[in-house]
Amino acid sequence: MSDSQSFTFKAETKQLLNILIHSLYKDREVFLRELLSNASDALNRLRFEMLTNQNVLDPEAELKIHINVDKDERMLTIQDTGIGMTKDEIIENLGTIAQSGARNFIEATRDSEVDIATVIGQFGVGFYSVFMAADWVRVTSRSFKPRAKAVQWYATGEDSFEVSPAEMNERGTKIEIKLKEDAAEFADENTIRNIIKKHSDYIGFPIYIGDSESQANQQTSLWRSARNEITDDQYNDFYRQMTMEFEEPLLRIHAVTDAPLQVYALLYIPAKGERGMFSLRKEDGLKLYSRNILIDEYNKDMLPEYLRFVQGVVDSEDLPLNVSRETVQASGFMPKLKKIVTGQVIRELEKLAKDDTEKYNEFWKEFGLYLKQGIAAEPFETEKIQPLLRFKTNQKPEEWSSLDEYIERMREGQKEIFYIVGDDPKSVLHSPHLDYFQSKGTEVLLLTDPLDSFMLMGLRKYKEYELKNVAQADVEETEASEKESEAEKIAEDDFSTLLKRFKEELGERVTDVRASKRLSQSVARLVDPDDSLNPEMQRVYRYLGKDYEVPKKILELNPSHAILKGLLGKDADLQNEIIEQIFDNALLVEGLHPDPASMATRIQKLMELALS
Ligand code: ADP
Ligand code: MG
């Protein structure tokens, strides 16, 4: 044809086609899913267009997909009444646009165990998967724009494609596929029907095959169906077809509300905190529908940041549609919707925590960090998140406890929730700051995740209880500590001498050395002077900036400790070495780093002395 033009594919597309044509993939049936998903996108875009623009070609035409097969000719045809493509669009979309996805796809085919056929759609190059099964492909399209002319695209999967004018009166896109000899099975209505059931059952438009008037897909909006009519398998299939995650979701939430807004929500909490490598969901966000029209594929305004891992669909009758998205934002509708959706998720999580602790703990292990971030970053949400938090404690180091459980177990007269910040759950149990609390049987939360320090910025109080760091010097005495230490105290004069020796030796490295009432097992500990930043803020600064200098601390000594008693009367040299080592040990348990070189030499010297 004289008015036919030839174009060459982009280099990376050529390479991609080359791989697709010359390899055998066991799951190549998924090319149908890709073409149907494109048809569905095109139909959705048209419907969206028609919300504001009635000036489209064939405004009355049914929104649908039609599939025809011809066994003798080995032909498969898929036609939609979607938005269509103009000549420029077809050239760009199907051949000349730079495809970073093609490059990634090629990378992935190099060294991967996954069957590439099943994941090609995730690379944004799904259309080309048709060449796994096609000798040639002809795409004929007529744009929704009333004055656009029909156009035809033809390719065999070699380096170039042809574009020419075409005859087509109805709106939409028709894809004709000449099947390879070894792909003849796809020219069969039953085969096609089964593939649709498997991969495309929830496409939101009717799919018809051949002359049959019954739909090949369910097309139900599962979220609008009655809960008792949906099986677990259907729920899970829907999740799988939406996300392409292979693990079953941890939790599903199917909620329907009538007031204050009419909302259908079908939400899932995935099994894992990270999206699967081949997830279909490329961003966070829920699918937002109104009256069955997909308004937004990744809507981030329906859930707070800290619940961004939730997947699913929200459909509301009340979404004002005949206005732009910006106006929807301004109308105050979204905040209302967000309140409802967020409330549902939180309620279901609380319910899960009550009904199935084990599963909730699984949730906590995968998603706890999101909630902690929420506490740190969204001060107005903390009250909602607090009951969902879980902690290990000195009394139950192997279990996850909620703040409410902690409160229930509180000792009589306890007015605060105690916590300790440290680097890991094991070593923190040996911290001298815990001495006093261990001996009294007081429960203390163990905060050993770097995020905990950030979380504490937003978690100063739970119900009427303040949270208090055990390392802080001003922790209230609840009882006189006289009989606490059964071991005998060092005589006052002797102890003053010791304090003086410590001060001389440590000099500027500490702000003070003093007696502690709080130590029983440990010799010493470091505490912050009253006017310094609290310990978790210090940690936050340490995590954020390497140059942060930790403020000087007070060294507290245990006046009943055998080591200090023994220290009296030793020669000054040995005293100094031991004082240095006590100080270094105290630094270590704070997660601060003493000078390793001088410490090693010193320990060797002390060992020699101990053995001699
Ligand atoms: P993706 O769907 O991820 O964008 P594809 O390779 O599947 O990638 O499709 C490429 C593009 O071709 C689509 O983005 C769309 O613009 C266009 N396209 C494909 N099929 C159709 C169709 N049936 N109707 C309209 N446009 C289509
Ligand atoms: Mg696609």
Side-chain angles (χ1 to χ4, degrees), residues 508-512 526-542 547-555 583 587 590 592:
E508 293 288 293
R509 287 176 286 169
V510 290
T511 54
D512 194 12
L526 287 164
V527 297
D528 287 302
D530 285 346
D531 57 351
S532 70
L533 268 182
N534 63 29
E536 55 275 2
M537 277 312 290
Q538 293 182 29
R539 252 168 212 274
V540 167
Y541 283 123
R542 260 162 63 206
D547 295 338
Y548 173 70
E549 208 174 305
V550 181
K552 286 181 197 158
K553 294 175 186 278
I554 301 168
L555 185 69
F583 180 61
L587 285 174
E590 293 305 312
L592 302 171

Side-chain angles (χ1 to χ4, degrees), residues 255-258 261-265 314-318 337 340-341:
V256 180
T257 67
D258 291 321
L261 295 176
Q262 164 80 265
V263 177
Y264 302 88
V314 174
D315 185 347
S316 177
E317 302 278 295
D318 300 322
L337 190 57
I340 293 172
V341 178

